[in-house]
Amino acid sequence: MQIAQLKKDDRFEGFVLVRTAEQRTSNANGSKYLDMTLTDASGEINAKMWDGNALPPPSGSVVKVRSTIQEYNGRLQMRVERMRAAAKNDAVDYSALTKVAPEPAEKMYGEIMDTVAGMTWEPLRKLMEKLLGLTKEKLMYYPAAQRLHHAERSGLLHHTVSMLRAAKVLLPLYPFLNADLLCAGVIAHDLSKTTEMQADEMGIVPDYTVSGLLLGHLIEGTHLVNEAARAAGVEGEECVLLLNHMLISHHGQPEFGSPKAPMFPEAEALHMIDDLDAKMNQMEDVMSRTPAGVFSDRIWAFDRRLYHPRYPGTEELPFEDADDILKKGGYDGLL
Amino acid sequence: MQIAQLKKDDRFEGFVLVRTAEQRTSNANGSKYLDMTLTDASGEINAKMWDGNALPPPSGSVVKVRSTIQEYNGRLQMRVERMRAAAKNDAVDYSALTKVAPEPAEKMYGEIMDTVAGMTWEPLRKLMEKLLGLTKEKLMYYPAAQRLHHAERSGLLHHTVSMLRAAKVLLPLYPFLNADLLCAGVIAHDLSKTTEMQADEMGIVPDYTVSGLLLGHLIEGTHLVNEAARAAGVEGEECVLLLNHMLISHHGQPEFGSPKAPMFPEAEALHMIDDLDAKMNQMEDVMSRTPAGVFSDRIWAFDRRLYHPRYPGTEELPFEDADDILKKGGYDGLL
Amino acid sequence: MQIAQLKKDDRFEGFVLVRTAEQRTSNANGSKYLDMTLTDASGEINAKMWDGNALPPPSGSVVKVRSTIQEYNGRLQMRVERMRAAAKNDAVDYSALTKVAPEPAEKMYGEIMDTVAGMTWEPLRKLMEKLLGLTKEKLMYYPAAQRLHHAERSGLLHHTVSMLRAAKVLLPLYPFLNADLLCAGVIAHDLSKTTEMQADEMGIVPDYTVSGLLLGHLIEGTHLVNEAARAAGVEGEECVLLLNHMLISHHGQPEFGSPKAPMFPEAEALHMIDDLDAKMNQMEDVMSRTPAGVFSDRIWAFDRRLYHPRYPGTEELPFEDADDILKKGGYDGLL
Amino acid sequence: MQIAQLKKDDRFEGFVLVRTAEQRTSNANGSKYLDMTLTDASGEINAKMWDGNALPPPSGSVVKVRSTIQEYNGRLQMRVERMRAAAKNDAVDYSALTKVAPEPAEKMYGEIMDTVAGMTWEPLRKLMEKLLGLTKEKLMYYPAAQRLHHAERSGLLHHTVSMLRAAKVLLPLYPFLNADLLCAGVIAHDLSKTTEMQADEMGIVPDYTVSGLLLGHLIEGTHLVNEAARAAGVEGEECVLLLNHMLISHHGQPEFGSPKAPMFPEAEALHMIDDLDAKMNQMEDVMSRTPAGVFSDRIWAFDRRLYHPRYPGTEELPFEDADDILKKGGYDGLL
Amino acid sequence: MQIAQLKKDDRFEGFVLVRTAEQRTSNANGSKYLDMTLTDASGEINAKMWDGNALPPPSGSVVKVRSTIQEYNGRLQMRVERMRAAAKNDAVDYSALTKVAPEPAEKMYGEIMDTVAGMTWEPLRKLMEKLLGLTKEKLMYYPAAQRLHHAERSGLLHHTVSMLRAAKVLLPLYPFLNADLLCAGVIAHDLSKTTEMQADEMGIVPDYTVSGLLLGHLIEGTHLVNEAARAAGVEGEECVLLLNHMLISHHGQPEFGSPKAPMFPEAEALHMIDDLDAKMNQMEDVMSRTPAGVFSDRIWAFDRRLYHPRYPGTEELPFEDADDILKKGGYDGLL
Amino acid sequence: MQIAQLKKDDRFEGFVLVRTAEQRTSNANGSKYLDMTLTDASGEINAKMWDGNALPPPSGSVVKVRSTIQEYNGRLQMRVERMRAAAKNDAVDYSALTKVAPEPAEKMYGEIMDTVAGMTWEPLRKLMEKLLGLTKEKLMYYPAAQRLHHAERSGLLHHTVSMLRAAKVLLPLYPFLNADLLCAGVIAHDLSKTTEMQADEMGIVPDYTVSGLLLGHLIEGTHLVNEAARAAGVEGEECVLLLNHMLISHHGQPEFGSPKAPMFPEAEALHMIDDLDAKMNQMEDVMSRTPAGVFSDRIWAFDRRLYHPRYPGTEELPFEDADDILKKGGYDGLL
């Protein structure tokens, strides 16, 4: 059973990932206990273990727990009875523990490499090859964000390839766009998320890096491009300048972090495809957790409630449940 | 020769469209003259006719002029020597006089009708058929806007079909979107521009209508949808409510005229495809009038200068000219 | 005794309305209890019932409780000892349970009908008669809002009649205003709150409706007006267009939900009278709960603290109490 | 004939007020001429006098002109043939030369004094008497603003009395408001416009004063109140503080010049009545210059075009004229 | 030991200042206890005393406690076993109990008086002498703010003298500035914080005053200046007007409380020096509590996280600790 | 005589700099003439030369003119009778032709070099030496901006040294700041203006560069720092990262072009000293052109009118003139 499916009074025994764990002291009677956040690919749950001798497991480690699900202040809570670290010979299904991109990283990476190999703008192709060489290792498992869209193992590849496909189907409709330049922008635009965020190989981001906080992936991205341009011997080529502009302008406006707004068509198209793909990814996520005919709670990234339409053929919630949800004032779309 | 190609000291004789014309009195010597704005598909020019007896031709009419091109305060001006109204037997090439969408209206309309015919969401299909029936006549020649994007004969069809094609290529990439709903939103989103603006059959918009100014095409659009729903006998169907929401939310935010932001995925996608298509259309237009390697002047719709990149293989301006343009501080991207 | 008058250590026995009720499990010892919000016309209080067998009463129902008032984390809490549903033969004073408009609904409705009957603009009068016919039933008990101003049984009528009286006394001062048009706008402006919100006959609003969230009462209001115009046979009359504009513009600005700002004098006057009446209603409410010479806490709707002036003849708080309140940093104006 | 009624080719002979006058040199032939702005109560017109010997008359003086009306660059222009200063025995109708409040200053002032005399809040009444004593002289002729609302001789009294009447009819509807305090706020709120602006006895404002620009009438108003409070011996009374707060908060928000937003009901009501009266005055003005069924140009103070509704019984423009106006894209609501 | 140095399981016995204290009732078992916030110059801590008979000590009083430090919900908490009021013969080190400006108040005040004595602008010097005479008493111990910068005993003097020194070193670099005027502005700009806030002699601010909330220290400051000008016999002098403008404009913009932006160089310089000194004071404070190489949490006054650079020679946190802090997502810069 | 001192009817003969020059055709009679903007260090003037044979001189060249000063539409205009290019043996005083920084470039550059030489943070010193080596040539004559502050030959050095002096006098007051880091930030912050703008050796900027428009001097500055760091062999040092952050954050906020706000004390101090120095420079400039006791027109960079105070001892305008200026509604502070 996955965490998202747990209900009050369920019994749960299985492997989970430790996000946080600390030892605390009860105010009521002074006894010690563990306060933890445990996760799997489906969601997370607060857990208590009332054992003064238990030590908090390292965050990021996998543990096996035996527990009961209770409700506290209207939220589910896992009361852990026994817990141990996962052992080498445990048959842990790691893919069930963290969210992972829906396609294999190698396949997605291959699609990017093929695109680059097909570029006819020579200096740009050389630049892109070097750029991917500099970042490949982390690119294989990095998520696209800490919490918002594509927050999953290889999420950065997922987001990039998804955008690349959108770019490719739109290019024939707007033939004045330069295909190589737009594809290069798509592939390069978020590469410096690998230097902006700290992520482990599960795709989890505990924090940003020092340089990530002081410069951000837009500026760091241009430094990476400059490094690749030197390595490729294409410094001073127009395409280096164009790509740098695309990187710093891809958030569209100053208040979203871009010191310059997009000033040529491929830069504008990059910004819009990025925005479209991120929004569609988040919308799909909210819909998957909101029954048809029902509004979600306010979603932070959109600053509004979202509605799951009753498309023909969709299975609706039984009347009483939907009614109940409406009475409570909305569905908590984010678990 | 087209107006956009005229240079100082050229002679011009041919047919042009009258945008405005007024009789004025010279301050210097009290004599009367005509002050006119004359246009063709390529652009517009100020014109003077120093003849106290000449009466101003009606705006929207076609006239034949014989003239010399001069420069006044750094701008070209047409000094008209003779002028007469176009006669029935003149071989006027009307397509040279106003900008026209690049595909025939009937072809574009057919593409829309085919899309509607293929919808499997029954009440939605019926609704769309009635809706198109109510607006077809004006839809054939209306522009999409008075001045900004797709300001051309049948520009509304052009913009709609362009968006429809974008929607159709994106749908396979985001399969959780309902194709019928998104296509219906694309087709319906600007239909009430036909009640918001006054346009003549040349696709020129002298002003907005009273109801257009008091309500706007978003609100008027919902009234049109309600009328079509009654005619189709589908009032109360979820799709009517959804389409109404898509209409009022397609500008994305309150400050751009949408009283509600998009609340389900197809509404969000509609907004983004609309924005993308309008921006690409304007970008292409500016690029076509800005030489490679040069910045345009500040473009009102973007609130910034745009740059025409030096793509490989593009013909650049000869050095002296580009240099000259840079010295003058930019290229006047909007003629 | 009313809930607002309860103090620590009071005993309370009487009828109250259940706003929310849930069964929970104590973290400390695992025993079950009820966590409830109980209300009457004067305010609300959190209540606990430490009885593992008690089931939560339905929200919206009336119960009789026997209890003691305690303090927990600086807030009063009702410790319920016994509780039962109100029976048919209980002499429950329903008017003490929810806030009700200060005048009878029939009287207020009559005042509106008289105004409409006196209109000399024929098509407008017919339109208004149909419009009121379509909404009368719900209008009798709907509140004007879920939480802010006039959140009370028949509050919508209360707000409407209060504005109507303001309009009538102001009209002689600004005689260029058309009285029929302004009064029609006042009467119609919030009628679609009856389709935007779900309310029970106590005037309590658990949530908005689906169409209310997707369209809002401004847009739904124009649909209602169009329906009434068809029924009255006055479609196409200028007054229908004017009233529709007044509806969509009555929030004054895009960021408050109006896709168009008011464009003629009666629309502007409607917006200002609406704002004035709502603000005065809320100010009166805050003053009634804040002692003279004291500041309230920050009031959400005003985004600032409010002050109750020491008017001559007002009874001030005894010195020590006011002093005490100031030391605590302000008076919690909203219970 | 009034300036607003002049048409091309009219002859005009009569008295006008000189707003500005300067001697200039023609670029074309080096001859000198006078460039003037001449006004009367109905509007203003640019005037040229082609006489190298004529000296510019002082601004603010009254002259008699004999002239022809011409059109230059689409605007009317007065070509002055003869001009002389008004003499003592000329029968000049000064009320036709500048806009004047519709009621006599003494009558309006009396209404204010009666209101003050009837106040029962003793210290407040004393304060108001002193305050009016300090400002009476200028109050009799000052306008309420340089250009926007009530820009007319005694316009400040007009605006104040108009607001006072609105306050008095609204007070019975919101009986929790203190009548003396609200009326005092209305009377005092703009009194320091007499120190903020320089105005001559015609009610014309050439500029602001140094202290008006450095402090503004809100802050200067509190200084005046403090001075009056000392004179009245009521320093330290609550009403002095309340009135000072009403003065600095009457623009409602920081971006409109109020360092504090209104914090008690009378301050909020003052702000709203001020806003209502100013907007109604401007709306009436625009309507009076816009034909029924027609939109004005964009009005600066509202930042939008306004519409003059076709009320029943209003005389519409003949069809061709209204049509013509619509073709030109709107009516120039501000002459 | 200071409060900021306490760790879990420490024993603490000593004198502390009572910020707040209330008697509460335990939800779990109904027994009474004291809930207190206790402070010294280094920080504050929540404290519980589980004694049903203990009465809450007055806020602002000094008590001696004997206690153990525990952790509750991840925060330290003091469990008080015994508590008594400080007695006259206790050797309490008051300087350890509240934050105090780093230099003696008399020394700082002397520096201000010397500056005034040296002014050569006669009326301005007289004005400043009177102004300081009116405020000296409170100025000696008032803090500069309730919570943000210089929130310490004599913090207002600290901030003023710090700015005065900055002004004096900058004046030779911008010699067109009038030194007397700038210094006068610096000295006077926040003097009315003594009427805006209530503060006790420890420099602690429980709340603002009624006039402080209704007018604010900018407006009250001009009233104080006017009072001093009358006392000094310099009313009507240009310097009084200039100083009044400097007071109301020193927050720079309307949204920060200034009804006018600075309009002459000394007013602009005052605003910038004020901003600089407040920001440097807060930055220093955050740095002192954030280890080198580490980011603080989001700091409210800056609305962002701050970074303590690794300057050469600074002692860094041992690797494991810094690593640990990064894993937890940042350092809680505000204790 | 300097241009700024010219009055109507003056004769002028001397050397001036050509900013723009074009041949035009008179509308009135078809004859050709030159339309030019001529400048010297004191200001600029429009000039006409009514000679159909005269060719426009190159912009940036120096010419000798013989002319009369006339007034046209209220502005002075130079009527050029004779004009010739400056010859080699003409004794042209170039310092009178363009605004030049008040100290020699070499002296200012020396002050910067001395500061760098004294840095004790080794890698930072090396970095700065390389950075200055990369930019020295242009730094000697570049202005700090195209139009706003320090728009003069060597204005960039002027601004930098002025800030450096401010930093040095402030450092002892805020001793927690690292002096080397702050000075390095000051010296480096605008160095990439040399790549952002095109300037000739007179310090005049006809336009921005392509990379300047696409990236801006903040981002280009980090590229320059990276290049210098590689040359100095200090890549990866903390000081490189810190300096890069200072460069991108020195405009303070996103809406002023900074993708990150300042996150450590030296970055914040840099931003504030930059702002202070630019504002003081502009204020001094406006004061120098505005008489005491008079307001300037609205100044674009401040978005408000500025006032020149009547300091004791300043010479005021004779009464009639000041009066005259006030009547005209303000002094045109920008020539």
Side-chain angles (χ1 to χ4, degrees), chain C residues 272-313:
Chain C
M272 300 193 90
I273 292 170
D274 185 24
D275 200 18
L276 174 73
D277 191 61
K279 290 240 173 71
M280 288 299 111
N281 180 266
Q282 292 171 85
M283 282 263 182
E284 181 176 21
D285 196 43
V286 175
M287 289 303 113
S288 74
R289 287 175 286 103
T290 308
V294 167
F295 277 87
S296 75
D297 269 356
R298 181 168 295 264
I299 303 297
W300 185 84
F302 291 95
D303 193 23
R304 55 185 180 268
R305 298 169 70 179
L306 297 181
Y307 177 67
H308 193 152
R310 280 175 281 218
Y311 305 115

Side-chain angles (χ1 to χ4, degrees), chain E residues 121 166 173-174 176 238 261-264 266 268 272 275-277 279-280 304 306-307 310-312, chain F residues 121 166 173-174 176 238 261-264 266 268 272 275-277 279-280 283 304 306-307 310-312:
Chain E
W121 192 339
L173 302 181
Y174 303 105
F176 69 101
E238 174 111 349
M263 285 173 144
F264 48 82
E266 293 80 7
E268 183 72 37
M272 300 194 90
D275 200 18
L276 174 73
D277 190 62
K279 290 240 173 70
M280 287 300 110
R304 56 185 179 269
L306 298 181
Y307 178 66
R310 279 174 283 218
Y311 305 115
Chain F
W121 191 338
L173 302 181
Y174 303 105
F176 69 99
E238 174 110 351
M263 284 173 145
F264 47 84
E266 292 81 7
E268 183 73 36
M272 301 194 90
D275 200 18
L276 174 72
D277 191 62
K279 291 240 174 70
M280 287 300 110
M283 282 262 182
R304 56 185 180 268
L306 298 181
Y307 177 67
R310 280 175 282 217
Y311 305 114

